[in-house]
Amino acid sequence: MKPFKILLPLLLCIVTLGFTINTKKDHWKKLFNGRDLSGWDTYIGPDLDDSGKPITGQPIGLNNDPKHVFTVVNENGENVIRISGENWGALITTKEYENYHLQLQFKWGALLWGQKKGKKKDSGLLYHSVGKYGADYGAWMRSHEFQVEEGNCGDYWGCAGALADVPVIKKSETEYVYSAQGVLTTFRDGSKEGRHCIKQGDAENPTGQWNTLDLYCHGDTSIHLVNGKVMMILYHSQQQDNGQLSPLTKGKIQIQSEGSEVFYKDIKIQEIDKLPAELVK
């Protein structure tokens, strides 16, 4: 009986540890199934000329993609999403999400179109997307933008009435850079600060290599990470209508087509009940 008495606490410890480990497992849900664009809508704004001006002013619209801007292609033996960039628009989840950790990978292609020719390659991850299609620049819904652009990955833009508070250091009359020790500043369209905040540092891999983006959203706070490095933390997510503010804490997810060829893969999401302490300390 004595050997059993000695082993019993050890066995209980192992069982308890095993239970603890199991309850902490990730619970990812794939948003890209690796085969097609099920679970996503497409929206394409008006055709633009090379200066960025609308040619007809009429959007191509919802789930109408005559130029095959959004496709699934085989890239080095795996299926990935290709966004050609030829038209401005977005892939949009059919469902809304809140309190989540989103992760995806992207890399740049070679093509540039219209006003983006000769400029930085550009796309974007838009979250808490609500309201009408094409509210921003005729192509995107109201949302917060996790900027995806060469050299600027992790920046913030408020789209079509979205706004957030970010601690920043003012670099010039038009440049505000995120700093955890900075002054909490509201970024919104029409204000003297504007709707754009610059991320801290740079973590993007060279063009042609895959990058990992992580977006944490909980309550009215969100965190932008590029390749594991915190670029920015945003607080007090809101939206403005006719001068009235209201919370903006959930919505659809959009991935931009903005004049540049770009590839996305391994798009997945999981619910969270709090933000990781190590990221917000």
Side-chain angles (χ1 to χ4, degrees):
M1 293 296 291
K2 286 182 179 180
F4 179 75
K5 288 181 178 180
I6 293 171
L7 287 172
L8 183 57
L10 180 60
L11 289 170
L12 287 173
C13 182
I14 292 171
V15 170
T16 301
L17 285 172
F19 177 77
T20 302
I21 292 168
N22 286 337
T23 59
K24 291 183 178 179
K25 281 185 176 179
D26 291 333
H27 297 284
W28 291 108
K29 177 182 178 181
K30 292 182 179 179
L31 295 185
F32 171 48
N33 63 20
R35 300 184 303 275
D36 54 37
L37 297 178
S38 297
W40 298 83
D41 289 321
T42 65
Y43 186 84
I44 298 175
D47 272 321
L48 306 175
D49 62 21
D50 283 355
S51 69
K53 294 180 180 179
I55 295 172
T56 66
Q58 295 298 314
I60 295 170
L62 186 65
N63 294 320
N64 181 24
D65 187 7
K67 296 181 181 177
H68 305 292
V69 173
F70 305 102
T71 57
V72 177
V73 300
N74 189 274
E75 174 78 7
N76 295 324
E78 63 179 341
N79 285 346
V80 302
I81 295 172
R82 176 183 181 261
I83 299 178
S84 74
E86 186 172 0
N87 288 112
W88 290 36
L91 274 178
I92 310 168
T93 59
T94 57
K95 296 181 179 180
E96 292 189 337
Y97 298 93
E98 64 179 324
N99 297 330
Y100 60 82
H101 173 197
L102 174 72
Q103 185 180 88
L104 57 77
Q105 293 187 50
F106 85 92
K107 73 172 182 177
W108 298 113
L111 299 178
L112 289 165
W113 305 87
Q115 69 185 99
K116 291 294 181 178
K117 289 179 180 178
K119 297 182 179 180
K120 293 179 178 181
K121 297 182 176 73
D122 200 356
S123 181
L125 170 61
L126 310 183
Y127 58 99
H128 296 348
S129 304
V130 297
K132 67 178 184 178
Y133 300 108
D136 190 69
Y137 211 82
W140 307 296
M141 302 166 70
R142 170 178 292 171
S143 54
H144 296 302
E145 179 174 358
F146 181 147
Q147 174 71 291
V148 180
E149 182 181 60
E150 285 182 307
N152 299 317
C153 286
D155 278 11
Y156 170 71
W157 289 86
C159 299
L163 58 115
D165 293 340
V166 187
V168 296
I169 296 173
K170 185 176 180 179
K171 295 294 185 179
S172 72
E173 287 302 313
T174 59
E175 290 187 328
Y176 298 82
V177 179
Y178 170 80
S179 170
Q181 291 75 44
V183 177
L184 198 64
T185 302
T186 302
F187 290 89
R188 71 170 86 187
D189 193 23
S191 71
K192 64 183 180 65
E193 293 83 7
R195 63 191 185 113
H196 175 220
C197 180
I198 301 169
K199 44 77 178 175
Q200 65 176 3
D202 185 19
E204 186 182 346
N205 291 327
T207 296
Q209 295 183 17
W210 288 102
N211 297 271
T212 299
L213 304 184
D214 287 277
L215 169 65
Y216 288 88
C217 297
H218 189 268
D220 63 0
T221 302
S222 56
I223 308 175
H224 299 180
L225 287 88
V226 177
N227 293 321
K229 182 178 179 181
V230 174
M231 297 285 101
M232 184 180 300
I233 302 179
L234 303 94
Y235 303 93
H236 310 143
S237 171
Q238 298 182 83
Q239 57 187 326
Q240 181 172 267
D241 288 290
N242 300 317
Q244 299 297 311
L245 298 178
S246 61
L248 181 58
T249 58
K250 67 177 181 179
K252 296 182 178 183
I253 295 163
Q254 303 176 90
I255 300 177
Q256 287 182 316
S257 173
E258 195 174 356
S260 310
E261 184 183 34
V262 60
F263 300 90
Y264 287 89
K265 68 175 183 176
D266 296 338
I267 307 171
K268 56 186 181 180
I269 196 168
Q270 63 178 343
E271 292 184 12
I272 58 174
D273 58 13
K274 60 182 178 180
L275 296 169
E278 65 273 17
L279 300 182
V280 295
K281 61 183 179 180

